[in-house]
Amino acid sequence: MFVQDLKLEFYNVLVGKRILIIVNYDIDGICASKIIQSLFKYDHMLYSVVPIMGMAGMQRAYTENRDDVKYVILINCGGCVDIVDLLQPDEEVVFFVCDSHRPLDVCNIYSDKQVCILGDPATEETIPSFEAIFRESDGEDSADEDDDEDDNEEEGTTRMEKHANRVLKQRERRTWENERDRIMFDYSQYSYYGRSSAIILFELAWKLTKDSPDLLWWAIVGTTEQLILGKIESSTYTLEIDNIQSHVSRLTTKSSDQTQTHSASKITFENDLHLALYRHWSVTESMRNSMYCACKLKLWTLRGEKKLHELLVEMGLPLTHAKQMFNSMDLTLRQEFHQMIEKLAEKYGIPDIVYGSFTLNYGYRNRYSAADYVYALLAILESVKHDKTPEDCFLEALDGLSKSHKSILTAGIESAKLLLSAIFRQVQSSLEAHQVHSAGPFFYFILNEENSYFSYPFGLTMLAKFILNGYVSTSRSRRAPELPLIVSCPVDAERGLCLLVGIPPVRENSPKSFFGKAFEQAAQKSNSVIRQDFFEPSLIQIRQSDLTRFLDTLTVLLS
C-alpha cells in the first residue's frame, strides 16, 4: 500500500519505537539514510543502520536483526521484490519502503498495511488493477466446483454437463492467467528509476519543520547522482531542480534572517559545466575524462586532441594555464571560463555542456558542486579492498557528506580522479584495439583480466556508458546509436565469476532497460548459472565458462 502523508502515517508511527534501517549501497540511498538519521537523532529515537549490496544482503540483515524490531525502513531496496515472501516476517512487522527502483512489486503495492510504500501512486506509471492479477486460489475454485457438483447432482444434472462446466471453468481460468501474464510482462519488462529517495525524505523533514541547508544539500547530491549515472532523463532532472530551487530560496531567506558565521552553509543555483571535478583538476584533464566532452570531441584520437587545443586557443586559454590546477589559473581566466566555453559550445559540437546545478559554499575557501560530491562518494564506495569492507566504505561515504569531515571528501575527490582516468584509458585502448564487437542485436565488450576499478557495479557501469558513447561517436554504422552494449569483467578468478552489465542504446531518450528480463530468459534457455542479486536487474554475475553460450542465446533471443 502507498503512504502519502509521511508525517502522520510514517514518521509519527515510528516515534518512540526501535527501528531497523536497511540501506542499499548507492549514493542516493546513503543521502536518504543520512537525512532520516538526522531526524531520528533530533527526536532521540533508537535505530540501527545496516548497509547492503543485494537481495541476499537484505535477507541476512533482516534475519540478524528481526528479534529486536517491529518496524523496518528499506531505503533504495525491497520495492521491486515481494518483501513478505522473501523475508517471511511475523505478521506484526511493518516495512516502510522508500525505493527509487521501478517497477514496484505488485504484492507490495496491494499489501494490507504490512508493506507501506512512501510515495504517491498518481506519479507511478500504469499499475495493474488488483482484479487483473489476483483472484481466488485454486483450492477455493475446486471447493466451488465441488459445491456446484453437489447442487447439480441434487438437480439430476448429467455427468456430461458437470464435465462441460468444469472444462468451461478451466478454460476461463487459463484465459485469465494468460491475460494476467501478458499484463505482468508489460508492467515489469523494463527496469527504470523514480524520484530520488533523498528528495522524498527531505520533503518529510520540511513538513516536520526540521529541514536545514545540510539536509537539502544531501537531497541535492542524491538527485545529482541520478543524473550523472544516467538513471533519469535530463528533463526529469530539470523538473526536480525547479522544485529544489524553491527550497533553496526559502532556506536562504530563513538563514539570512539569522546570525551568519563564516562556517554557515550557503547553497546557490547556477549554470554549471558537464566537466568532472574541473574545480579540483586541470581543464585539460577534466575535459579528457568527462564522458560527454570526450565523446563529442573524440579526445582519445589525435584529431580530437588537436580539436581540444583549437578550442582552448579560441577561448583565449593558454595551454600552460589549461594544464594547471584550476585554482592556480589566473583569476580573470577562472572567472570568464564558463562564459568562454559556453560561447563556443555550439561551434565545437558540445551544446549540452551547460546544465543547471547547485554549489555548496562554507567557510572562506570551501566551494563544491553537487557533482563533485557524487564523484567523490562514488570513488569511496568503489574503494573496497582486502582490508576495507563494503560496510567500511559505506560509513566513510556517510561521513564524507558532513562538512566536519572535509578530509574524507578531499581524499574521495583524489580517488575519483584516478577512477575517471582509469575509465578513459580503458576506453581509449578498447576503441583503438577495436575490442567492441557486434553480435547483431547488441554490441559487447569483454575484459579478460580483473581490474579493481571495474570489479564493482559503479565503475563497470560508468565504463560501459563511456565505451558505448565513444564507439557510437566514431562508428560509421547508422545502426550504432540504436544498439545497446553488454560489458563483462572478471571479479573472482578462483570461482570463475564475472560481472556483466547491459546499457540501453544511445539513441533511447529514456534510460529504461529491458536487460533484466532478457538476462533471465537467456539464462534459462542456455542453462547458464547467473546471479541476479543486485537491485539493478541489468547487473548480473555469471560464470565465465557460461559467458559465450549465454551471449549466443541472448543474440537469438533479441534478434
Side-chain angles (χ1 to χ4, degrees):
M1 61 178 282
F2 282 95
V3 168
Q4 297 184 61
D5 190 334
L6 301 190
K7 181 178 178 180
L8 290 177
E9 299 176 272
F10 169 54
Y11 195 81
N12 288 356
V13 172
L14 299 176
V15 174
K17 312 291 195 308
R18 183 175 178 81
I19 305 140
L20 172 64
I21 307 172
I22 300 178
V23 189
N24 188 32
Y25 198 76
D26 66 40
I27 292 172
D28 180 41
I30 288 172
C31 292
S33 73
K34 186 81 169 173
I35 292 169
I36 198 70
Q37 286 181 67
S38 296
L39 296 180
F40 287 168
K41 286 176 183 175
Y42 187 91
D43 287 318
H44 308 290
M45 291 162 65
L46 293 173
Y47 65 90
S48 302
V49 179
V50 183
I52 59 167
M53 294 187 75
M55 279 178 271
M58 185 170 71
Q59 286 177 292
R60 186 170 56 252
Y62 177 68
T63 302
E64 291 174 354
N65 296 276
R66 66 185 303 162
D67 296 334
D68 301 329
V69 292
K70 299 299 180 188
Y71 294 91
V72 182
I73 300 175
L74 300 176
I75 298 180
N76 277 359
C77 59
C80 302
V81 295
D82 185 345
I83 296 170
V84 175
D85 182 61
L86 183 70
L87 301 182
Q88 299 292 312
D90 297 333
E91 289 184 5
E92 65 270 18
V93 176
V94 178
F95 294 90
F96 289 100
V97 181
C98 188
D99 192 356
S100 61
H101 296 95
R102 295 292 184 275
L104 296 166
D105 188 271
V106 290
C107 293
N108 295 336
I109 291 172
Y110 292 113
S111 169
D112 184 20
K113 296 186 179 179
Q114 188 161 21
V115 179
C116 302
I117 301 168
L118 309 188
D120 183 357
T123 62
E124 301 295 328
E125 295 193 10
T126 308
I127 297 172
S129 66
F130 183 87
E131 296 76 17
I133 49 177
F134 296 106
R135 66 178 282 173
E136 292 179 346
S137 67
D138 292 333
E140 289 171 330
D141 287 344
S142 298
D144 290 341
E145 288 177 18
D146 291 341
D147 291 341
D148 289 342
E149 286 182 21
D150 292 340
D151 293 340
N152 290 337
E153 285 174 5
E154 288 176 7
E155 295 169 7
T157 307
T158 65
R159 184 174 297 174
M160 188 175 292
E161 288 174 326
K162 288 188 288 183
H163 177 70
N165 286 337
R166 191 177 299 116
V167 169
L168 184 62
K169 284 195 173 185
Q170 289 174 346
R171 187 177 299 164
E172 288 175 353
R173 184 170 185 84
R174 276 198 301 271
T175 302
W176 178 85
E177 286 176 346
N178 290 336
E179 179 63 10
R180 178 194 59 189
D181 292 344
R182 184 193 66 77
I183 291 170
M184 285 304 299
F185 180 80
D186 290 344
Y187 174 68
S188 62
Q189 64 177 318
Y190 293 106
S191 59
Y192 58 103
Y193 288 83
R195 287 189 81 195
S196 153
S197 294
I199 279 288
I200 291 172
L201 292 179
F202 169 77
E203 289 179 348
L204 167 64
W206 168 46
K207 287 168 185 172
L208 293 169
T209 64
K210 295 172 183 173
D211 55 336
S212 69
D214 286 344
L215 269 61
L216 178 57
W217 181 248
W218 300 334
I220 289 170
V221 172
T223 304
T224 305
E225 181 233 21
Q226 289 192 316
L227 177 72
I228 287 177
L229 294 185
K231 294 180 177 181
I232 57 173
E233 300 172 38
S234 56
S235 57
T236 305
Y237 171 79
T238 302
L239 291 173
E240 196 65 85
I241 62 174
D242 285 343
N243 168 48
I244 292 171
Q245 274 184 271
S246 64
H247 290 296
V248 170
S249 301
R250 178 176 54 79
L251 288 172
T252 301
T253 304
K254 183 179 175 182
S255 299
S256 63
D257 294 338
Q258 300 169 356
T259 305
Q260 287 285 303
T261 65
H262 73 274
S263 61
S265 300
K266 183 183 178 185
I267 301 170
T268 53
F269 174 79
E270 60 184 38
N271 284 331
D272 208 350
L273 301 172
H274 273 300
L275 294 178
L277 303 172
Y278 70 92
R279 293 182 182 84
H280 315 280
W281 217 347
S282 68
V283 170
T284 53
E285 285 299 304
S286 177
M287 295 181 82
R288 185 176 291 111
N289 293 295
S290 299
M291 183 181 77
Y292 176 76
C293 190
C295 291
K296 290 294 183 181
L297 300 177
K298 304 176 185 65
L299 293 182
W300 54 87
T301 64
L302 288 174
R303 184 178 293 180
E305 193 73 18
K306 184 180 177 183
K307 198 170 183 180
L308 173 60
H309 289 170
E310 289 173 2
L311 171 60
L312 294 173
V313 168
E314 199 164 343
M315 285 169 58
L317 183 61
L319 195 58
T320 51
H321 285 270
K323 289 184 175 180
Q324 287 179 342
M325 291 294 287
F326 186 80
N327 284 337
S328 301
M329 280 169 46
D330 182 85
L331 178 61
T332 306
L333 292 175
R334 287 207 311 270
Q335 291 173 338
E336 295 177 355
F337 179 65
H338 274 222
Q339 186 180 348
M340 291 189 295
I341 202 166
E342 193 173 349
K343 187 178 178 182
L344 296 169
E346 289 282 351
K347 179 179 179 181
Y348 282 85
I350 48 175
D352 297 326
I353 197 165
V354 179
Y355 75 111
S357 185
F358 298 88
T359 56
L360 175 69
N361 298 271
Y362 62 92
Y364 293 112
R365 299 188 61 184
N366 300 309
R367 188 164 186 263
Y368 300 97
S369 71
D372 293 340
Y373 266 74
V374 171
Y375 285 118
L377 297 178
L378 280 173
I380 291 170
L381 293 179
E382 285 279 300
S383 63
V384 181
K385 299 170 185 170
H386 294 298
D387 59 338
K388 200 173 180 184
T389 66
E391 290 77 14
D392 294 334
C393 296
F394 177 93
L395 294 172
E396 190 175 327
L398 200 64
D399 287 340
L401 285 168
S402 301
K403 299 195 300 289
S404 56
H405 293 93
K406 184 190 167 188
S407 59
I408 294 176
L409 181 66
T410 303
I413 288 173
E414 294 306 311
S415 297
K417 293 180 188 177
L418 298 176
L419 172 62
L420 294 171
S421 299
I423 290 172
F424 179 80
R425 287 195 303 272
Q426 186 62 61
V427 171
Q428 184 176 32
S429 64
S430 303
L431 296 179
E432 286 178 350
H434 305 288
Q435 292 175 325
V436 178
H437 306 288
S438 174
F442 59 86
F443 298 118
Y444 66 92
F445 167 66
I446 297 173
L447 276 163
N448 294 315
E449 296 180 0
E450 280 191 55
N451 186 312
S452 59
Y453 287 112
F454 312 130
S455 297
Y456 289 90
F458 300 122
L460 188 65
T461 302
M462 291 168 72
L463 171 67
K465 288 182 183 293
F466 207 142
I467 286 180
L468 181 58
N469 280 271
Y471 182 82
V472 169
S473 71
T474 56
S475 174
R476 296 180 180 178
S477 170
R478 291 183 179 179
R479 287 193 67 211
E482 300 170 0
L483 297 181
L485 172 70
I486 292 173
V487 175
S488 78
C489 175
V491 293
D492 191 334
E494 291 181 4
R495 295 164 62 198
L497 293 176
C498 60
L499 187 64
L500 186 143
V501 65
I503 301 296
V506 168
R507 186 167 285 173
E508 293 286 340
N509 292 324
S510 169
K512 290 185 176 182
S513 174
F514 61 83
F515 275 118
K517 287 290 183 186
F519 287 165
E520 193 178 311
Q521 293 176 15
Q524 290 174 352
K525 291 180 182 293
S526 63
N527 293 320
S528 302
V529 178
I530 68 168
R531 188 176 180 222
Q532 282 186 308
D533 186 57
F534 298 104
F535 295 106
E536 288 77 15
S538 56
L539 269 163
I540 62 170
Q541 282 190 340
I542 184 171
R543 288 180 183 168
Q544 286 182 284
S545 57
D546 291 341
L547 185 57
T548 303
R549 188 170 71 252
F550 176 80
L551 292 177
D552 289 343
T553 305
L554 194 62
T555 302
V556 174
L557 192 66
L558 298 178
S559 295

